[in-house]
Amino acid sequence: MKNIYLAGAAAVALSIGAVAYASQPAFSPRSDTYKQLELFGNVLAIVQQDYVVPVDSKKLINAALEGMLGSLDPHSNYLSDDDYNDLKEKTRGSYGGIGLEVTSEDGAVKVVTPIDDTPAQKAGIQSGDYITAIDGTSILGLPLNDAITKMKGDPNTKLIVTIVRTGKTEPFDVPLTREIIVVKSVKTRMEGDYGYLRIASFSETTANDTKTQLADLMAKNPKMKGLVLDLRNNPGGLLEQSVGVADLFLDGGEIVSQRGRDPKDIIRYQAKKGDMLNGKPIVVLTNPGTASAAEIVSGALQDQKRATIVGLTTFGKGSVQSVIDLGDNRAVKLTTARYYTPSGRSIQKTGIEPDLEVAQSKEQAKYIATSAMQYTEAAYGNALNADEGKARRSAHAVQEVPPEDFDTKTGDFELTRALDVLKYNGDVKLAAAHPRGAKLADADLVDKPGAKFDAKAKAATPAGTVSGASSSSASSSSSSSSSASSSSAEKK
């Protein structure tokens, strides 16, 4: 019998994690445990006998198992037949659905990240969105796995998801058509003289695909001067695959260590000789959607001084889950270890901070500057504690944001700054000393007191009127100006 070890981003069956295998442990229940089990049996019998309608004992027991494991931490849970199949589909890299990584938060389904080139991503669903209804039926309070089942289905079938998004005053519907989701975890292209490698997740073939595609890119571009490794919104994946990817760029040394409850229970993963890029500079792009297995790669390359990190602080999931096969296509996903970067740091709750902090937009920078509780591992009430004395960096002004003349709809400012670092041969200090953008001023980050009220009052003022005494020419001017504004708005 085998166990699977996971280090994924989200507390759901759709999140994969870092996966390995081990033997099922032996255990000996204590007498007090027997008493509690007897109590459980008594309660179950009462429900079966006296509940107002007949109940399915299997569903009750499954719910009890899910509740027990879910109370431990956000990433431990019970996998029934369907859930276990979902997990295995995910690690294989294909399934039928809309292409979302999701988690459960206070009875709601929250989007961890949309998967690249899927219906959800193409429709504009974003990390941090809440899904409150499917096909007009509320899913609030529905078990996460049931909500996931509703989103999955045969290709070419349609559904409508209702989204609640921070910054939007009203929920809105997004129509989608299901597809066979084949997760293309690796993409490459050239950005001028530099290679660009995007890894969307770590599935069963990611390390090999990365090696193959990068070798092909280098063969076609023998004068390639460096590489951008894009791990933004990568929710994690198989541990062995993240180790394999990091190994491609290291010429030896530790990649990550895995430490269990017993202080002696330590597994160290070492890089082999041979750096595919032969020392050419690397920049890794990260953001709060960069999690777990993706953080293993980021942390290894940063600690080994092999790469510079550009972007935003990562999610902060520093734990490994074991998926223990129970037979009959059922399993337990249980947090069994923490992982540590080569320098010995745990990033649990804190994340990996970039060497050059760059926001993709002013809106993103404002969120980081004003939101006390962002969507990260630290936001989970039952997350494992961080190392003693450590805490995630609180709300703050981002080091650099796009300048006024940068088109954030068509351009990628974080990628632009990553390429700048490569142009300085990987010297992030030189790139920081020559910023393309600048910090937002405090006045830009936080609305002035009463600003929202003033805006609403102005919007409520009839066109052509001004407060206080005014001349007819002033009214005329105001009316003319208002008409021009209306015309402009209609064109938009």
Side-chain angles (χ1 to χ4, degrees), residues 295-310:
E295 291 174 286
I296 288 174
V297 176
S298 305
L301 298 183
Q302 187 183 50
D303 278 9
Q304 294 278 21
K305 310 298 182 186
R306 183 64 190 90
T308 297
I309 310 294
V310 171

Side-chain angles (χ1 to χ4, degrees), residues 126-427:
Q126 300 176 7
S127 176
D129 284 349
Y130 289 92
I131 300 174
T132 58
I134 297 174
D135 289 331
T137 302
S138 173
I139 58 170
L140 295 176
L142 192 70
L144 181 63
N145 294 326
D146 291 351
I148 290 169
T149 298
K150 289 181 178 292
M151 286 185 278
K152 298 179 72 174
D154 296 330
N156 299 319
T157 56
K158 298 182 182 297
L159 75 160
I160 296 174
V161 296
T162 302
I163 299 292
V164 173
R165 179 175 295 166
T166 302
K168 296 278 188 180
T169 56
E170 298 291 337
F172 58 94
D173 290 339
V174 179
L176 297 162
T177 301
R178 296 180 180 92
E179 296 177 0
I180 294 298
I181 306 300
V182 179
V183 182
K184 300 174 183 177
S185 65
V186 181
K187 295 180 181 179
T188 58
R189 67 172 187 262
M190 289 298 293
E191 289 283 344
D193 293 331
Y194 303 96
Y196 171 88
L197 171 63
R198 162 73 180 160
I199 300 180
S201 63
F202 291 90
S203 58
E204 288 180 348
T205 64
T206 298
N208 188 60
D209 291 346
T210 300
K211 182 177 181 180
T212 300
Q213 292 197 38
L214 184 56
D216 183 60
L217 186 71
M218 294 173 67
K220 292 177 180 177
N221 302 274
K223 295 184 179 180
M224 191 176 85
K225 296 180 179 179
L227 181 73
V228 175
L229 174 56
D230 190 350
L231 297 179
R232 291 173 296 181
N233 294 322
N234 182 320
L238 301 170
L239 171 62
E240 63 183 25
Q241 297 298 315
S242 66
V243 169
V245 167
D247 194 6
L248 296 176
F249 307 111
L250 295 171
D251 196 31
E254 186 172 297
I255 295 172
V256 66
S257 63
Q258 177 181 313
R259 309 180 192 182
R261 181 165 64 181
D262 186 337
K264 297 178 182 178
D265 182 14
I266 301 177
I267 301 173
R268 298 185 185 276
Y269 297 86
Q270 302 288 335
K272 300 183 292 292
K273 283 286 184 180
D275 170 6
M276 279 193 73
L277 292 180
N278 295 315
K280 291 183 176 70
I282 301 172
V283 172
V284 179
L285 286 173
T286 66
N287 66 8
T290 304
S292 198
E295 291 174 286
I296 288 174
V297 176
S298 305
L301 298 183
Q302 187 183 50
D303 278 9
Q304 294 278 21
K305 310 298 182 186
R306 183 64 190 90
T308 297
I309 310 294
V310 171
L312 299 171
T313 302
T314 60
F315 188 82
K317 181 181 178 297
S319 62
V320 178
Q321 283 68 48
S322 304
V323 177
I324 304 168
D325 191 326
L326 301 175
D328 296 326
N329 206 39
R330 296 170 299 176
V332 167
K333 185 169 77 163
L334 187 69
T335 299
T336 53
R338 297 173 186 263
Y339 70 76
Y340 292 77
T341 68
S343 65
R345 58 175 169 154
S346 165
I347 54 89
Q348 175 62 18
K349 283 191 176 183
T350 59
I352 294 172
E353 294 188 6
D355 300 295
L356 178 62
E357 189 183 37
V358 179
Q360 190 74 324
S361 65
K362 285 188 177 180
E363 289 70 28
Q364 187 180 50
K366 287 181 180 179
Y367 177 70
I368 291 172
T370 59
S371 297
M373 187 58 72
Q374 299 170 30
Y375 178 50
T376 66
E377 179 79 3
Y380 289 117
N382 64 334
L384 290 177
N385 289 330
D387 277 356
E388 188 174 351
K390 292 185 179 180
R392 189 179 183 90
R393 190 178 181 188
S394 59
H396 64 280
V398 175
Q399 187 175 347
E400 201 171 330
V401 300
E404 292 291 342
D405 60 352
F406 190 91
D407 187 349
T408 56
K409 292 183 179 179
T410 59
D412 185 336
F413 187 63
E414 290 173 332
L415 175 57
T416 298
R417 293 301 282 141
L419 293 170
D420 287 342
V421 174
L422 289 177
K423 290 170 185 176
Y424 286 110
N425 201 36
D427 191 330

